[in-house]
Amino acid sequence: MPVPESSIIVRTPVIDSIGELYTASGLGKKSVLLFDENTRKLFGDEIIESMHHQGFRTCELVVPARETSKSVTSAWKLYGQMIEAEVDRGWNLLCIGGGVVGDLGGYIAASYYRGIPVVQLPTTLLAMTDSSIGGKVAINHPLGKNLIGFFHLPKLVLIDPANLRSLPMREIYAGMAEVVKYGFIADRSFFDLLVSRFDDIVRLQEPWISEAVSRSAFIKADVVEKDFRETSGLRATLNFGHTFAHGLEKLAEYRNLRHGEAVTLGMACALFLSNRLGFLEKTGLEEGLELIGRFRFPRGLINRRFLSLEREELFSSMYSDKKKIDRQLRFVLLDRISHAFLHDQEIEKESVLQSIDDAKGWFSEKRE
Ligand SMILES: NC(=O)c1ccc[n+]([C@@H]2O[C@H](COP(=O)([O-])OP(=O)(O)OC[C@H]3O[C@@H](n4cnc5c(N)ncnc54)[C@H](O)[C@@H]3O)[C@@H](O)[C@H]2O)c1
Ligand SMILES: [Zn+2]
């Protein structure tokens, strides 16, 4: 079955041409706008004014800027506001914000009136390069994150890298983890660009930031198009570093550890594991670590969230969910820089533990 595609537009300013872009994508000009409190303040007035100027009718929704907004309770409340505003199947929904707004808005769009089109206007680096692309939308359940959701591809993804200027540095580095991940798994020339321009990108220098954002978004879109429902193992390579990262996030109870920070630490572990199992040569490992070494973390975070953990503790955290459903843990490994594969055989516990030790040793040496 052919997979529908989203159009991804990377442009500054993107909002000025939203009317034309909607028309070209067959979208009508009745749009529910979903913000969080921060993105409403930062971008709301300008976007709403520009859309009205371009002939749109809008209905505005705002949720608190936190992960708990991805809940059935807030979705229920928003459905009510949409019904009261007489939003019907002729409308679409535009999500303006980070991954929280994108996931929640996508979930609502997929379910409201059995589905209305969704458009993403991501405003964090993580959302521009990862969560707004690929059509996975979900809310959280008290028993687990992202468990209730749909595949609902956005018709359009509207990316304006200039919107990143107000984003705190910590969020930039968190988004950079996914950007660097694409260099590791998919594209050697992109990896080389990241090595030479890492500092320009995190400082949001043009043309490097736009180049990094659009290449990341297109790499993700390409992978998703080739393996939409995660059947061939290709889409799974987007989880490079994530098996370790999920263990770290769970131990931190998802507090005071950004997903991207966990992924950065997880990618270091995955590089060591790839090398230990004989897939990745030492030069590849060193090149990879050199790029990981560019990331900056809040003071004390690596110590609190990684170095002070017992390796067994992290290992059990990684395995806990999988045991419940009698599945083995799967790792994405590299056999060279920019080439990832899903390793689908059981890996000996000792090798996993040793790669955690290797990464811990490397991070603590670097700090000295
Ligand atoms: N659907 C997917 O494929 C996918 C992939 C990865 C992550 N996710 C989800 O994404 C979420 C995390 O997304 P996130 O990291 O973007 O977090 P977020 O949406 O919570 O945004 C982080 C913070 O930045 C603020 N913000 C947003 N844009 C800003 C800007 N331009 N300037 C200043 N502040 C701004 C937000 O208000 C928020 O406080 C998680 O819920 C995760 O599960 C989904
Ligand atoms: Zn991720």
Side-chain angles (χ1 to χ4, degrees), residues 244 265-270 272 289 302 306-307 353-365:
F244 293 97
L265 297 167
M267 289 191 297
C269 297
F272 278 111
L289 291 174
I302 295 201
F306 190 44
L307 300 183
L353 290 177
Q354 282 179 1
S355 65
I356 296 171
D357 270 346
D358 292 337
K360 282 171 74 171
W362 182 79
F363 273 104
S364 54
E365 225 172 81

PDB file of all heavy atoms in Angstrom, residues 244 265-270 272 289 302 306-307 353-365:
ATOM      1  N   PHE A 244      19.155   2.488  25.677  1.00  0.00           N
ATOM      2  CA  PHE A 244      19.801   2.963  26.908  1.00  0.00           C
ATOM      3  C   PHE A 244      19.062   4.202  27.449  1.00  0.00           C
ATOM      4  O   PHE A 244      18.837   4.330  28.644  1.00  0.00           O
ATOM      5  CB  PHE A 244      21.264   3.335  26.635  1.00  0.00           C
ATOM      6  CG  PHE A 244      22.138   2.158  26.279  1.00  0.00           C
ATOM      7  CD1 PHE A 244      22.411   1.845  24.952  1.00  0.00           C
ATOM      8  CD2 PHE A 244      22.710   1.374  27.266  1.00  0.00           C
ATOM      9  CE1 PHE A 244      23.230   0.770  24.623  1.00  0.00           C
ATOM     10  CE2 PHE A 244      23.542   0.299  26.954  1.00  0.00           C
ATOM     11  CZ  PHE A 244      23.796   0.000  25.618  1.00  0.00           C
ATOM     12  N   LEU A 265      23.605  10.401  26.070  1.00  0.00           N
ATOM     13  CA  LEU A 265      24.306   9.412  26.890  1.00  0.00           C
ATOM     14  C   LEU A 265      24.128   8.008  26.296  1.00  0.00           C
ATOM     15  O   LEU A 265      25.069   7.214  26.217  1.00  0.00           O
ATOM     16  CB  LEU A 265      23.768   9.439  28.332  1.00  0.00           C
ATOM     17  CG  LEU A 265      23.984  10.760  29.091  1.00  0.00           C
ATOM     18  CD1 LEU A 265      23.154  10.808  30.370  1.00  0.00           C
ATOM     19  CD2 LEU A 265      25.469  10.931  29.427  1.00  0.00           C
ATOM     20  N   GLY A 266      22.906   7.745  25.832  1.00  0.00           N
ATOM     21  CA  GLY A 266      22.593   6.427  25.254  1.00  0.00           C
ATOM     22  C   GLY A 266      23.381   6.162  23.975  1.00  0.00           C
ATOM     23  O   GLY A 266      23.807   5.027  23.722  1.00  0.00           O
ATOM     24  N   MET A 267      23.598   7.215  23.173  1.00  0.00           N
ATOM     25  CA  MET A 267      24.361   7.011  21.935  1.00  0.00           C
ATOM     26  C   MET A 267      25.824   6.666  22.243  1.00  0.00           C
ATOM     27  O   MET A 267      26.443   5.877  21.531  1.00  0.00           O
ATOM     28  CB  MET A 267      24.267   8.253  21.034  1.00  0.00           C
ATOM     29  CG  MET A 267      22.870   8.428  20.426  1.00  0.00           C
ATOM     30  SD  MET A 267      22.772   9.673  19.110  1.00  0.00           S
ATOM     31  CE  MET A 267      23.195  11.178  19.979  1.00  0.00           C
ATOM     32  N   ALA A 268      26.354   7.261  23.320  1.00  0.00           N
ATOM     33  CA  ALA A 268      27.730   6.915  23.704  1.00  0.00           C
ATOM     34  C   ALA A 268      27.792   5.424  24.073  1.00  0.00           C
ATOM     35  O   ALA A 268      28.681   4.689  23.621  1.00  0.00           O
ATOM     36  CB  ALA A 268      28.195   7.786  24.875  1.00  0.00           C
ATOM     37  N   CYS A 269      26.811   4.957  24.851  1.00  0.00           N
ATOM     38  CA  CYS A 269      26.776   3.525  25.214  1.00  0.00           C
ATOM     39  C   CYS A 269      26.660   2.659  23.962  1.00  0.00           C
ATOM     40  O   CYS A 269      27.339   1.630  23.824  1.00  0.00           O
ATOM     41  CB  CYS A 269      25.583   3.220  26.129  1.00  0.00           C
ATOM     42  SG  CYS A 269      25.617   4.044  27.716  1.00  0.00           S
ATOM     43  N   ALA A 270      25.794   3.082  23.033  1.00  0.00           N
ATOM     44  CA  ALA A 270      25.559   2.283  21.828  1.00  0.00           C
ATOM     45  C   ALA A 270      26.802   2.235  20.931  1.00  0.00           C
ATOM     46  O   ALA A 270      27.066   1.232  20.270  1.00  0.00           O
ATOM     47  CB  ALA A 270      24.359   2.837  21.060  1.00  0.00           C
ATOM     48  N   PHE A 272      29.922   2.348  22.086  1.00  0.00           N
ATOM     49  CA  PHE A 272      30.829   1.383  22.735  1.00  0.00           C
ATOM     50  C   PHE A 272      30.350  -0.050  22.509  1.00  0.00           C
ATOM     51  O   PHE A 272      31.159  -0.943  22.261  1.00  0.00           O
ATOM     52  CB  PHE A 272      30.939   1.682  24.242  1.00  0.00           C
ATOM     53  CG  PHE A 272      31.931   2.773  24.566  1.00  0.00           C
ATOM     54  CD1 PHE A 272      31.509   4.001  25.038  1.00  0.00           C
ATOM     55  CD2 PHE A 272      33.294   2.559  24.388  1.00  0.00           C
ATOM     56  CE1 PHE A 272      32.427   5.014  25.335  1.00  0.00           C
ATOM     57  CE2 PHE A 272      34.220   3.566  24.686  1.00  0.00           C
ATOM     58  CZ  PHE A 272      33.785   4.788  25.156  1.00  0.00           C
ATOM     59  N   LEU A 289      32.624   9.472  19.316  1.00  0.00           N
ATOM     60  CA  LEU A 289      32.756  10.056  20.649  1.00  0.00           C
ATOM     61  C   LEU A 289      33.165  11.526  20.568  1.00  0.00           C
ATOM     62  O   LEU A 289      32.748  12.347  21.388  1.00  0.00           O
ATOM     63  CB  LEU A 289      33.781   9.270  21.477  1.00  0.00           C
ATOM     64  CG  LEU A 289      33.334   7.858  21.865  1.00  0.00           C
ATOM     65  CD1 LEU A 289      34.482   7.120  22.555  1.00  0.00           C
ATOM     66  CD2 LEU A 289      32.104   7.891  22.777  1.00  0.00           C
ATOM     67  N   ILE A 302      25.313  14.920  34.528  1.00  0.00           N
ATOM     68  CA  ILE A 302      25.874  13.621  34.124  1.00  0.00           C
ATOM     69  C   ILE A 302      26.177  12.788  35.361  1.00  0.00           C
ATOM     70  O   ILE A 302      25.952  11.589  35.413  1.00  0.00           O
ATOM     71  CB  ILE A 302      27.150  13.822  33.280  1.00  0.00           C
ATOM     72  CG1 ILE A 302      26.758  14.512  31.988  1.00  0.00           C
ATOM     73  CG2 ILE A 302      27.834  12.504  33.000  1.00  0.00           C
ATOM     74  CD1 ILE A 302      27.722  14.358  30.882  1.00  0.00           C
ATOM     75  N   PHE A 306      23.862   9.627  35.535  1.00  0.00           N
ATOM     76  CA  PHE A 306      24.560   8.556  34.822  1.00  0.00           C
ATOM     77  C   PHE A 306      25.696   7.970  35.652  1.00  0.00           C
ATOM     78  O   PHE A 306      25.673   6.799  36.019  1.00  0.00           O
ATOM     79  CB  PHE A 306      25.067   9.108  33.477  1.00  0.00           C
ATOM     80  CG  PHE A 306      25.588   8.064  32.533  1.00  0.00           C
ATOM     81  CD1 PHE A 306      24.902   6.862  32.328  1.00  0.00           C
ATOM     82  CD2 PHE A 306      26.769   8.276  31.824  1.00  0.00           C
ATOM     83  CE1 PHE A 306      25.388   5.904  31.448  1.00  0.00           C
ATOM     84  CE2 PHE A 306      27.254   7.325  30.940  1.00  0.00           C
ATOM     85  CZ  PHE A 306      26.560   6.137  30.757  1.00  0.00           C
ATOM     86  N   LEU A 307      26.678   8.814  36.006  1.00  0.00           N
ATOM     87  CA  LEU A 307      27.873   8.268  36.644  1.00  0.00           C
ATOM     88  C   LEU A 307      27.569   7.663  38.012  1.00  0.00           C
ATOM     89  O   LEU A 307      28.204   6.696  38.427  1.00  0.00           O
ATOM     90  CB  LEU A 307      28.947   9.352  36.779  1.00  0.00           C
ATOM     91  CG  LEU A 307      29.412   9.966  35.457  1.00  0.00           C
ATOM     92  CD1 LEU A 307      30.523  10.970  35.695  1.00  0.00           C
ATOM     93  CD2 LEU A 307      29.867   8.892  34.482  1.00  0.00           C
ATOM     94  N   LEU A 353      26.545  -4.535  29.928  1.00  0.00           N
ATOM     95  CA  LEU A 353      27.064  -3.925  31.157  1.00  0.00           C
ATOM     96  C   LEU A 353      28.417  -3.267  30.913  1.00  0.00           C
ATOM     97  O   LEU A 353      28.688  -2.168  31.379  1.00  0.00           O
ATOM     98  CB  LEU A 353      27.207  -4.998  32.255  1.00  0.00           C
ATOM     99  CG  LEU A 353      25.897  -5.552  32.824  1.00  0.00           C
ATOM    100  CD1 LEU A 353      26.189  -6.651  33.851  1.00  0.00           C
ATOM    101  CD2 LEU A 353      25.062  -4.457  33.470  1.00  0.00           C
ATOM    102  N   GLN A 354      29.256  -3.955  30.135  1.00  0.00           N
ATOM    103  CA  GLN A 354      30.584  -3.389  29.881  1.00  0.00           C
ATOM    104  C   GLN A 354      30.507  -2.113  29.048  1.00  0.00           C
ATOM    105  O   GLN A 354      31.276  -1.183  29.245  1.00  0.00           O
ATOM    106  CB  GLN A 354      31.473  -4.423  29.201  1.00  0.00           C
ATOM    107  CG  GLN A 354      31.997  -5.431  30.218  1.00  0.00           C
ATOM    108  CD  GLN A 354      32.872  -6.492  29.580  1.00  0.00           C
ATOM    109  OE1 GLN A 354      33.097  -6.464  28.373  1.00  0.00           O
ATOM    110  NE2 GLN A 354      33.341  -7.418  30.386  1.00  0.00           N
ATOM    111  N   SER A 355      29.552  -2.069  28.123  1.00  0.00           N
ATOM    112  CA  SER A 355      29.458  -0.846  27.311  1.00  0.00           C
ATOM    113  C   SER A 355      28.964   0.319  28.178  1.00  0.00           C
ATOM    114  O   SER A 355      29.347   1.469  27.955  1.00  0.00           O
ATOM    115  CB  SER A 355      28.586  -1.060  26.073  1.00  0.00           C
ATOM    116  OG  SER A 355      27.265  -1.315  26.450  1.00  0.00           O
ATOM    117  N   ILE A 356      28.144   0.040  29.168  1.00  0.00           N
ATOM    118  CA  ILE A 356      27.735   1.096  30.111  1.00  0.00           C
ATOM    119  C   ILE A 356      28.964   1.582  30.887  1.00  0.00           C
ATOM    120  O   ILE A 356      29.201   2.784  31.024  1.00  0.00           O
ATOM    121  CB  ILE A 356      26.644   0.586  31.093  1.00  0.00           C
ATOM    122  CG1 ILE A 356      25.369   0.228  30.324  1.00  0.00           C
ATOM    123  CG2 ILE A 356      26.354   1.624  32.181  1.00  0.00           C
ATOM    124  CD1 ILE A 356      24.297  -0.487  31.154  1.00  0.00           C
ATOM    125  N   ASP A 357      29.764   0.618  31.337  1.00  0.00           N
ATOM    126  CA  ASP A 357      31.002   0.995  32.048  1.00  0.00           C
ATOM    127  C   ASP A 357      31.939   1.809  31.160  1.00  0.00           C
ATOM    128  O   ASP A 357      32.535   2.782  31.602  1.00  0.00           O
ATOM    129  CB  ASP A 357      31.756  -0.272  32.485  1.00  0.00           C
ATOM    130  CG  ASP A 357      31.326  -0.726  33.865  1.00  0.00           C
ATOM    131  OD1 ASP A 357      30.662   0.072  34.558  1.00  0.00           O
ATOM    132  OD2 ASP A 357      31.641  -1.872  34.226  1.00  0.00           O
ATOM    133  N   ASP A 358      32.066   1.375  29.909  1.00  0.00           N
ATOM    134  CA  ASP A 358      32.946   2.105  28.967  1.00  0.00           C
ATOM    135  C   ASP A 358      32.500   3.554  28.858  1.00  0.00           C
ATOM    136  O   ASP A 358      33.309   4.481  28.916  1.00  0.00           O
ATOM    137  CB  ASP A 358      32.865   1.501  27.546  1.00  0.00           C
ATOM    138  CG  ASP A 358      33.467   0.107  27.461  1.00  0.00           C
ATOM    139  OD1 ASP A 358      34.301  -0.243  28.313  1.00  0.00           O
ATOM    140  OD2 ASP A 358      33.082  -0.638  26.518  1.00  0.00           O
ATOM    141  N   ALA A 359      31.194   3.748  28.679  1.00  0.00           N
ATOM    142  CA  ALA A 359      30.682   5.112  28.492  1.00  0.00           C
ATOM    143  C   ALA A 359      30.851   5.926  29.782  1.00  0.00           C
ATOM    144  O   ALA A 359      31.223   7.100  29.740  1.00  0.00           O
ATOM    145  CB  ALA A 359      29.215   5.076  28.071  1.00  0.00           C
ATOM    146  N   LYS A 360      30.599   5.287  30.918  1.00  0.00           N
ATOM    147  CA  LYS A 360      30.778   6.000  32.184  1.00  0.00           C
ATOM    148  C   LYS A 360      32.238   6.429  32.349  1.00  0.00           C
ATOM    149  O   LYS A 360      32.535   7.556  32.726  1.00  0.00           O
ATOM    150  CB  LYS A 360      30.361   5.119  33.368  1.00  0.00           C
ATOM    151  CG  LYS A 360      28.846   5.061  33.540  1.00  0.00           C
ATOM    152  CD  LYS A 360      28.408   4.029  34.567  1.00  0.00           C
ATOM    153  CE  LYS A 360      28.678   4.472  35.978  1.00  0.00           C
ATOM    154  NZ  LYS A 360      28.050   3.559  36.966  1.00  0.00           N
ATOM    155  N   GLY A 361      33.146   5.510  32.022  1.00  0.00           N
ATOM    156  CA  GLY A 361      34.583   5.816  32.129  1.00  0.00           C
ATOM    157  C   GLY A 361      34.943   6.990  31.226  1.00  0.00           C
ATOM    158  O   GLY A 361      35.653   7.911  31.627  1.00  0.00           O
ATOM    159  N   TRP A 362      34.413   6.961  30.016  1.00  0.00           N
ATOM    160  CA  TRP A 362      34.739   8.019  29.042  1.00  0.00           C
ATOM    161  C   TRP A 362      34.211   9.375  29.514  1.00  0.00           C
ATOM    162  O   TRP A 362      34.918  10.373  29.463  1.00  0.00           O
ATOM    163  CB  TRP A 362      34.157   7.651  27.674  1.00  0.00           C
ATOM    164  CG  TRP A 362      34.481   8.656  26.618  1.00  0.00           C
ATOM    165  CD1 TRP A 362      35.658   8.794  25.944  1.00  0.00           C
ATOM    166  CD2 TRP A 362      33.614   9.685  26.126  1.00  0.00           C
ATOM    167  NE1 TRP A 362      35.577   9.842  25.059  1.00  0.00           N
ATOM    168  CE2 TRP A 362      34.337  10.402  25.145  1.00  0.00           C
ATOM    169  CE3 TRP A 362      32.298  10.067  26.406  1.00  0.00           C
ATOM    170  CZ2 TRP A 362      33.789  11.486  24.458  1.00  0.00           C
ATOM    171  CZ3 TRP A 362      31.758  11.140  25.723  1.00  0.00           C
ATOM    172  CH2 TRP A 362      32.498  11.832  24.761  1.00  0.00           C
ATOM    173  N   PHE A 363      32.969   9.406  30.006  1.00  0.00           N
ATOM    174  CA  PHE A 363      32.403  10.683  30.472  1.00  0.00           C
ATOM    175  C   PHE A 363      33.154  11.189  31.705  1.00  0.00           C
ATOM    176  O   PHE A 363      33.375  12.382  31.849  1.00  0.00           O
ATOM    177  CB  PHE A 363      30.901  10.547  30.791  1.00  0.00           C
ATOM    178  CG  PHE A 363      30.018  10.758  29.593  1.00  0.00           C
ATOM    179  CD1 PHE A 363      29.412   9.686  28.954  1.00  0.00           C
ATOM    180  CD2 PHE A 363      29.797  12.035  29.082  1.00  0.00           C
ATOM    181  CE1 PHE A 363      28.593   9.874  27.834  1.00  0.00           C
ATOM    182  CE2 PHE A 363      28.988  12.234  27.970  1.00  0.00           C
ATOM    183  CZ  PHE A 363      28.387  11.152  27.355  1.00  0.00           C
ATOM    184  N   SER A 364      33.552  10.289  32.603  1.00  0.00           N
ATOM    185  CA  SER A 364      34.194  10.825  33.811  1.00  0.00           C
ATOM    186  C   SER A 364      35.608  11.307  33.479  1.00  0.00           C
ATOM    187  O   SER A 364      36.064  12.302  34.028  1.00  0.00           O
ATOM    188  CB  SER A 364      34.176   9.851  34.980  1.00  0.00           C
ATOM    189  OG  SER A 364      34.726   8.652  34.590  1.00  0.00           O
ATOM    190  N   GLU A 365      36.279  10.674  32.538  1.00  0.00           N
ATOM    191  CA  GLU A 365      37.601  11.150  32.115  1.00  0.00           C
ATOM    192  C   GLU A 365      37.502  12.530  31.479  1.00  0.00           C
ATOM    193  O   GLU A 365      38.314  13.406  31.727  1.00  0.00           O
ATOM    194  CB  GLU A 365      38.146  10.185  31.075  1.00  0.00           C
ATOM    195  CG  GLU A 365      39.589   9.802  31.276  1.00  0.00           C
ATOM    196  CD  GLU A 365      39.943   8.695  30.304  1.00  0.00           C
ATOM    197  OE1 GLU A 365      40.211   9.022  29.136  1.00  0.00           O
ATOM    198  OE2 GLU A 365      39.881   7.516  30.711  1.00  0.00           O
TER     199      GLU A 365
END
